[in-house]
Amino acid sequence: MGASGRTVLVWLIHNLFLFWSTGSAGLRVREVVVPPLKIKGSEVELKCLYDLEDKEQLYSLKWYKGIREFFRYVPIDSPPIQVFDLPGVNVDLERSSSQRVVVREVSLRTSGKYKCEVSAEAPSFHTDSGTGELLVVHIPEKDPHISGTRPRYYVGDRVQVNCTSSPSKPAAALMWYINGEQAASTALIDYAPVPTPEGLETSILGLHFRATMEHLQSGHLTLRCTATIAAVYYRQRTVSAQARLTERVHMPESHSILAGESRRTGRVMGVMVGVVVALLR
């Protein structure tokens, strides 16, 4: 065999290897549809879209969560569908097929990476797969709560408040607004999420700033806190306090002492007068 013949043979072997290893000439998983986000308690539909050559037949379609198989479809078996127990993956057998898998009442344990694996019948035995990831969200049961507010603020007062979310998974993202304007990052106190025994997290975001004439010029101070989780949850809480455009008057300590002594003296004199009147009767 000449050099040209060996070159052709090498080319043929190389392309034959690519043909069998990639399966590009046969079965192909076109798309795996796994919703990225679902709310706890809802259902999710998983889809595996694949193409077969004209002469190929489907041997099996399998679904995995992580490395564990939970669904298998084999057309020649009776029944063709098998479901394997897996915590958090509650398959609706009647509504599932080779085209889709329906999982009921998703929980936090349903979150994870899902893989669809499709295999063709002999003689090709082509196999292809695709993946998708699902995050199940436990949304807060209550709106965010604001604590630490006063009924009124004067110019120069320190505003020190906290916004606390109801437990969720993942932790809600909080943000503060002052009179409708987003608070500066320098005014925010970001606390670490607080875990709960149920595996949820509570978010807390503080807001600390000194009230200025600009904050109070409308006659009131409005503070708003928002809580969001991706695109599936949004809630807010707003509080409003009276505003005074003067500084808070602090009575000097000496005046406080004199005022206190004056009140005590007045009470003593009142008692003495009462005793004298009683003796004269």
Side-chain angles (χ1 to χ4, degrees), residues 109-186:
R109 302 184 73 176
T110 315
S111 296
K113 189 173 184 178
Y114 289 80
K115 181 177 77 170
C116 173
E117 181 183 271
V118 182
S119 299
E121 274 278 16
S124 70
F125 296 110
H126 290 157
T127 298
D128 197 13
S129 64
T131 62
E133 193 146 2
L134 168 68
L135 175 64
V136 176
V137 176
H138 187 297
I139 63 175
E141 296 180 359
K142 299 179 181 179
D143 292 349
H145 173 69
I146 295 176
S147 59
T149 58
R150 298 178 181 177
R152 66 185 59 85
Y153 287 95
Y154 293 80
V155 173
D157 278 358
R158 291 288 298 176
V159 180
Q160 297 180 317
V161 294
N162 283 337
C163 178
T164 305
S165 72
S166 187
S168 64
K169 189 70 174 185
L174 302 178
M175 180 49 64
W176 276 106
Y177 295 83
I178 304 171
N179 294 332
E181 299 291 332
Q182 183 172 321
S185 59
T186 54

Side-chain angles (χ1 to χ4, degrees), residues 27 34 41 62 68 84 101 161 163 174:
L27 177 147
V34 177
K62 300 177 181 179
R68 296 185 59 181
F84 307 98
V101 174
V161 294
C163 178
L174 302 178

Side-chain angles (χ1 to χ4, degrees), residues 193-260:
V194 180
T196 71
E198 298 77 22
L200 307 179
E201 294 178 316
T202 295
S203 297
I204 304 174
L205 184 64
L207 177 66
H208 293 187
F209 67 96
R210 192 173 295 279
T212 65
M213 187 74 71
E214 183 180 356
H215 293 132
L216 309 179
Q217 61 185 354
S218 64
H220 61 270
L221 176 66
T222 301
L223 305 175
R224 176 164 58 97
C225 173
T226 63
T228 57
I229 301 178
V232 298
Y233 175 83
Y234 174 87
R235 293 291 188 278
Q236 64 179 13
R237 178 62 62 89
T238 302
V239 295
S240 187
Q242 295 178 1
R244 296 290 185 264
L245 300 182
T246 59
E247 293 188 1
R248 186 183 294 273
V249 177
H250 298 282
M251 184 179 294
E253 185 178 352
S254 58
H255 288 185
S256 299
I257 294 174
L258 290 175

